[in-house]
Amino acid sequence: MNITEKILAQHSGNDEVTPGDTINCNIDVAMSHDGTSPPTIKVFEKIADKVWDPEKIVLVFDHNVPANTIGSAEFQEVVREFGKKQGIPNMYIQGEGICHQVLPEMGHVKPSTVMVGADSHTCTYGAFGAFSTGLGATDLAMVYATGKTWFKVPESYKINVNGTLQENVYSKDLILRIIKEIGSYGATYKSLEFHGDTIDNMSVDGRLTMTNMVIECGAKNGIMIPNKQTKEYLAQRGITDYKITTPDKDAEYEKEYDFEVDDLQPQIACPHNVDNVEDIDKVEGTPIDQAVLGSCTNGRYEDLAQAADVLKGHKVHGDVQLLVFPASRKIYQQAIETGIIQTLLESNAIICNPGCGPCLGAHMGVMYDNMTCISTTNRNFLGRMGSAKSYVYLSNPAVVAASSITGEITDPKNL
């Protein structure tokens, strides 16, 4: 069996599972945020009085923080009351950050566990060797009530990545290149299992970026074997009681892909699809009005540092606003302590509180007709950030920073 199959077998009481099997699976951690908790709670209250285990539920406010409408404020109050009533201790509702950063940061993610969340980017935690995936509100309500849910065991694709990423090329470029190859729907309900020396040597921040975006090619989950950096990250949070799941030597995969990254350029996902990916030299010079640095994809410390390296000594173009959304309060604090925030402020960037901000077009940075943005976020669908007549390009943090300086999409090497 491969990694996903082994984890699902263990959590469903089976010696082995095969793709296509329908299983009833025990859940280790379940999560919902301020946007998805209220509909989950509404369904839950029709089927149960008490959650199955308050310690295993995590509630996070991140999509509309602070509340941007009366409706958002009312949604958040529903969640507060539910958390109090159910005695849920793990509530991050004071601006701690984006759920997909806060959960690993606060020690809720362990290798070989099964994690679910009412958010499509719950697949992020696969960077730690967990099976993690998003659920709808009704399915998550059943998890809150019973601690179980059903899955169809997915087929798996083996993604081999080897080589060394060059200057100004990062994991964001790699995952965009992979999505281009597979296509937006090419891995629908598949498990993407990542291997190769590039993955083995990648930082935790970089690995999280990779698994965060597997949903953009339709995947059920993405998963990696924890590397040295991952083990150190876990140890720093006092997490030592875990096991690492590896695939059998004769594990079967539906497809296998090989990527060599030595010559990879910065990649740009062009409007209006994440798989509409081009090398940067094909779109360089495209004028922009806004640049966004942050999100659950690229709002981590490493990402802010990459942007600050480019912005140091420069000013944001007079016709552009650069919005910075750290992925968590801890990242924000670290970036203050190391001078990164000062560098960003001196460049005239607008520093916003940790949260999802403009990624979903909720608030702070909502776009008007014919506006163009380059962003480190994970989606560029039509109308994603506001007007259906606006345009979103996706790239890595260094490209976003360079583009904010020149007012047009720019390869950092050309500054």
Side-chain angles (χ1 to χ4, degrees):
M1 291 187 290
N2 57 49
I3 301 175
T4 289
E5 290 164 358
K6 283 187 173 183
I7 294 172
L8 292 180
Q10 179 191 4
H11 283 73
S12 60
N14 292 296
D15 292 331
E16 62 179 46
V17 296
T18 58
D21 288 351
T22 299
I23 59 171
N24 197 30
C25 196
N26 294 306
I27 303 303
D28 293 298
V29 178
M31 176 277 300
S32 56
H33 53 66
D34 49 326
T36 56
S37 290
T40 302
I41 293 166
K42 184 177 180 180
V43 175
F44 168 84
E45 290 179 339
K46 293 179 180 179
I47 58 177
D49 295 319
K50 293 292 293 182
V51 298
W52 106 95
D53 188 339
E55 299 281 345
K56 294 183 178 181
I57 293 174
V58 183
L59 303 175
V60 184
F61 288 0
D62 61 4
H63 271 54
N64 300 280
V65 180
N68 60 321
T69 66
I70 294 172
S72 296
E74 291 173 342
F75 257 39
Q76 291 174 7
E77 183 59 17
V78 168
V79 183
R80 287 191 191 94
E81 291 303 313
F82 176 76
K84 291 177 184 177
K85 180 180 178 180
Q86 296 294 334
I88 295 171
N90 300 311
M91 295 180 63
Y92 302 99
I93 61 176
Q94 302 291 345
E96 288 89 346
I98 303 173
C99 55
H100 305 310
Q101 176 62 28
V102 170
L103 264 70
E105 194 172 76
M106 300 305 291
H108 298 294
V109 182
K110 295 182 181 180
S112 303
T113 56
V114 173
M115 305 187 61
V116 295
D119 186 274
S120 60
H121 291 102
T122 304
C123 51
T124 303
Y125 316 133
F128 291 88
F131 175 85
S132 61
T133 194
L135 298 180
T138 302
D139 285 328
L140 192 69
M142 289 300 296
V143 173
Y144 280 5
T146 68
K148 299 175 183 292
T149 193
W150 69 274
F151 292 118
K152 183 178 77 172
V153 178
E155 292 276 7
S156 294
Y157 291 174
K158 187 176 185 182
I159 313 294
N160 302 307
V161 186
N162 292 288
T164 302
L165 296 170
Q166 302 303 305
E167 186 176 9
N168 297 318
V169 181
Y170 303 105
S171 61
K172 180 61 164 285
D173 304 295
L174 173 55
I175 191 62
L176 287 177
R177 178 67 187 82
I178 291 171
I179 292 168
K180 177 182 181 179
E181 176 73 19
I182 295 176
S184 289
Y185 302 98
T188 299
Y189 209 93
K190 310 297 183 183
S191 174
L192 300 190
E193 188 174 297
F194 294 93
H195 294 275
D197 59 58
T198 309
I199 304 299
D200 293 342
N201 294 318
M202 191 174 285
S203 69
V204 172
D205 287 358
R207 290 159 68 92
L208 287 164
T209 295
M210 296 280 295
T211 51
N212 174 270
M213 288 193 66
V214 299
I215 186 63
E216 309 311 336
C217 56
K220 183 69 173 174
N221 72 303
I223 200 159
M224 300 173 173
I225 300 170
N227 63 356
K228 178 183 177 182
Q229 295 93 317
T230 307
K231 295 172 186 175
E232 291 172 350
Y233 184 101
L234 292 167
Q236 289 167 4
R237 285 149 184 81
I239 299 173
T240 57
D241 58 333
Y242 62 85
K243 70 173 186 176
I244 292 175
T245 304
T246 58
D248 294 328
K249 291 182 179 180
D250 59 350
E252 294 185 359
Y253 302 89
E254 184 179 3
K255 290 184 180 179
E256 191 163 346
Y257 292 85
D258 294 301
F259 294 89
E260 298 290 334
V261 303
D262 289 332
D263 297 324
L264 186 68
Q265 293 186 43
Q267 302 289 288
I268 308 293
C270 304
H272 296 284
N273 290 294
V274 183
D275 64 353
N276 184 21
V277 175
E278 299 285 357
D279 290 344
I280 193 169
D281 57 9
K282 300 288 180 59
V283 294
E284 197 164 15
T286 302
I288 63 166
D289 306 291
Q290 179 167 285
V292 173
L293 172 63
S295 85
C296 65
T297 311
N298 285 114
R300 300 182 180 84
Y301 181 81
E302 181 177 277
D303 305 311
L304 302 187
Q306 291 163 6
D309 284 346
V310 175
L311 284 160
K312 193 171 185 65
H314 295 280
K315 298 290 185 183
V316 173
H317 192 280
D319 295 330
V320 175
Q321 60 178 12
L322 170 60
L323 308 179
V324 179
F325 292 81
S328 75
R329 179 184 292 165
K330 288 182 180 293
I331 291 169
Y332 196 174
Q333 291 173 321
Q334 186 181 5
I336 290 172
E337 292 165 1
T338 57
I340 285 174
I341 293 298
Q342 184 65 31
T343 297
L344 298 175
L345 285 169
E346 289 173 357
S347 75
N348 290 335
I350 302 170
I351 313 298
C352 306
N353 62 282
C356 297
C359 179
L360 67 157
H363 64 151
M364 293 188 286
V366 176
M367 301 218 294
Y368 53 78
D369 287 2
N370 299 314
M371 191 174 181
T372 298
C373 175
I374 189 163
S375 176
T376 65
T377 54
N378 45 44
R379 288 182 175 155
N380 62 345
F381 306 149
L382 187 70
R384 171 71 176 177
M385 284 189 168
S387 169
K389 295 181 180 179
S390 62
Y391 304 89
V392 180
Y393 293 80
L394 305 179
S395 73
N396 75 43
V399 171
V400 165
S403 303
S404 74
I405 295 167
T406 63
E408 58 188 33
I409 295 177
T410 300
D411 190 327
K413 73 179 184 181
N414 295 329
L415 276 179

